Amino acid sequence: MTVKTEDENPTAAVMIIGDEILSGRTQDTNVNTIAKFLGALGVDLVEVRMVHDVEAQVVRTLNELRTSVDYVFTTGGIGPTHDDITADCVANAFGVGIDERQDALDILLARYGGDANLLNPNSRRMARIPDGASLIVNPVSGAPGFQLENVFVMAGVPRIMAGMLNDLPHRLRHGQQVQSRTVKATYVPESLAADILKSLDAQYPDLSLGSYPFGIYPEEFGTQLVIRGRNADDLDAAFAALLAGLPPIVAQARQRYPDARFEEVVG
Amino acid sequence: MTVKTEDENPTAAVMIIGDEILSGRTQDTNVNTIAKFLGALGVDLVEVRMVHDVEAQVVRTLNELRTSVDYVFTTGGIGPTHDDITADCVANAFGVGIDERQDALDILLARYGGDANLLNPNSRRMARIPDGASLIVNPVSGAPGFQLENVFVMAGVPRIMAGMLNDLPHRLRHGQQVQSRTVKATYVPESLAADILKSLDAQYPDLSLGSYPFGIYPEEFGTQLVIRGRNADDLDAAFAALLAGLPPIVAQARQRYPDARFEEVVG
């Protein structure tokens, strides 16, 4: 693990656990939700892994990630069924015990009006928490997630996962938020915008310049240009240079594709 | 690498390359498209990784994946701009050279009616192909992907990526397709379905039994039940047992949540 200075942003990885994602049955949206959540806190998401509900793979992946980034966020596998193995995998990865815990059980019981008869053994599985973990509040459906050291274990259902994120900001070191400046749609091909992007990239090594083509020629087509970074002054300067450089590029594009519609929208 | 017998399905990994995914700017859909494509061919997707447009990370990840699964599919980073580094990363990972190639250049030229003046140096970058690779046809926008040994390099734009998949089936060993049987919606909580799932899981170790809750009590809520596997007889038998076991579970649920609506829909 590399030593980082305090002014560097913390790093994070996401591990999506679930056969339903890898089989194509379910379109994941949790990565995007977590990515936006971390971006707002200045935590840099550096890697995502999606794995099967298989203990060896989950344990190996978790151990690789938790020793290489500051924070790991997992989703999936903490429900009441036989394939909900995430809590056991986390205990296994850390080499700690796991048992039913009263505070977690109380939360589940409260969902049933305190009637323990309504809580079957399968539901009680959701109160099994690795030793040393703290609970993560689930404001949506009760059954908690948990944090063990730098690993945050959350539900897979997107609405529940999003609810659990509300209990995380105070547990994380916040970094400097990455901001962006965007040219929403310039109707030029990516190849014509490449020179100015390359030149700005060289001039501002701490900024990240992205270009995202949309549409396919001869339909309406163009490129979205995005500058991202932490230094607002650099961002403003690079964005001004980009805007100043676009008109001749648009003119050049107009010459090449006389039938195409060109219109510059900045946002 | 473990030795596999011919009757086992080939394995695959997907590597999504792109800052725009990890920043949360873009919701990935390529994983889902590739997962469905592979499922239909009987190729087992065992892992997905999403990484930044950073050479060291791309090369390291690619080398880890290509030596641990049969096929690796990458998306992103093969356009005309400075951050399109995938082709160079692949050459670097395999330790081979990379250069502009005439057959790739011809394809790009054809898009411009054969007029080389319309092809600027940035566009020409898309004709740089690692030594020894074969091209992957791009029926959408021309610029090809490529295959080097067991690695398939495709565009990041979903529509173009999906088009490139059409050129892959004949290059892959096909396995036995995973089929599924689904109870689309049984309005019982997952915890009540857990026993029968666990028992079927024990009885049919080659099948995979999944349960996917939807809705949150006290709203309309329930669970989708999915059985997946390659043996149609086992699938049919397990599905019949599941359907036979559901009525008493639904009756039990009705007792517990008198206000909830219960209705079993099988599909």
Side-chain angles (χ1 to χ4, degrees), chain A residues 43-178:
Chain A
V43 177
D44 293 344
L45 177 57
V46 296
E47 186 174 356
V48 172
R49 304 219 196 165
M50 298 177 169
V51 300
H52 275 293
D53 306 316
V54 170
E55 179 159 12
Q57 189 182 15
V58 173
V59 170
R60 185 182 64 243
T61 303
L62 183 60
N63 278 333
E64 282 178 31
L65 293 177
R66 74 187 180 89
T67 54
S68 66
V69 295
D70 293 317
Y71 304 119
V72 179
F73 302 86
T74 80
T75 75
I78 61 169
T81 62
H82 66 283
D83 59 347
D84 287 306
I85 60 169
T86 303
D88 289 277
C89 290
V90 172
N92 183 339
F94 279 92
V96 302
I98 178 168
D99 209 346
E100 187 177 279
R101 217 166 81 175
Q102 194 58 46
D103 54 352
L105 198 60
D106 288 345
I107 292 169
L108 298 179
L109 269 170
R111 294 280 297 179
Y112 294 96
D115 185 347
N117 292 323
L118 291 181
L119 202 61
N120 76 17
N122 300 314
S123 297
R124 288 182 79 127
R125 272 174 57 80
M126 296 190 285
R128 297 179 71 248
I129 305 289
D131 294 349
S134 66
L135 301 185
I136 294 175
V137 172
N138 168 357
V140 177
S141 60
F146 61 85
Q147 171 190 359
L148 184 54
E149 297 186 16
N150 65 338
V151 175
F152 300 83
V153 175
M154 300 183 288
V157 175
R159 201 169 136 197
I160 301 176
M161 198 286 295
M164 288 180 171
L165 290 178
N166 294 319
D167 195 25
L168 299 195
H170 66 282
R171 305 170 186 240
L172 306 173
R173 181 166 77 77
H174 297 197
Q176 208 179 342
Q177 197 177 331
V178 173

Side-chain angles (χ1 to χ4, degrees), chain B residues 89-101:
Chain B
C89 290
V90 172
N92 182 339
F94 278 93
V96 301
I98 179 169
D99 209 346
E100 188 176 279
R101 218 166 82 175

Side-chain angles (χ1 to χ4, degrees), chain A residues 79-85 88 120-125 128, chain B residues 190-211 225-227 238 241-242 246 249:
Chain A
T81 62
H82 66 283
D83 59 347
D84 287 306
I85 60 169
D88 289 277
N120 76 17
N122 300 314
S123 297
R124 288 182 79 127
R125 272 174 57 80
R128 297 179 71 248
Chain B
E190 204 181 3
S191 57
L192 288 184
D195 281 340
I196 189 165
L197 293 176
K198 189 177 178 181
S199 129
L200 290 172
D201 183 67
Q203 198 178 341
Y204 298 97
D206 290 340
L207 300 180
S208 147
L209 289 106
S211 56
L225 305 172
V226 181
I227 311 182
L242 178 62
L246 276 178
I249 295 170

Side-chain angles (χ1 to χ4, degrees), chain A residues 23-25 27-28 32 45-46 48-50 52 57 118 122-123 159 191 195 219 224 228 256, chain B residues 23-25 27-28 32 45-46 48-50 52 57 118 122-123 159 191 195 219 224 228 256:
Chain A
S23 75
R25 181 190 161 279
Q27 162 69 55
D28 166 75
N32 192 253
L45 177 57
V46 296
V48 172
R49 304 219 196 165
M50 298 177 169
H52 275 293
Q57 189 182 15
L118 291 181
N122 300 314
S123 297
R159 201 169 136 197
S191 57
D195 281 339
E219 293 167 29
Q224 186 170 97
R228 303 178 77 252
R256 280 193 193 183
Chain B
S23 74
R25 179 189 163 280
Q27 162 70 54
D28 167 75
N32 192 254
L45 177 57
V46 297
V48 172
R49 303 218 196 164
M50 298 176 169
H52 276 292
Q57 189 182 15
L118 290 180
N122 299 314
S123 297
R159 201 170 137 197
S191 57
D195 281 340
E219 293 167 28
Q224 185 170 97
R228 303 177 79 251
R256 281 194 191 182

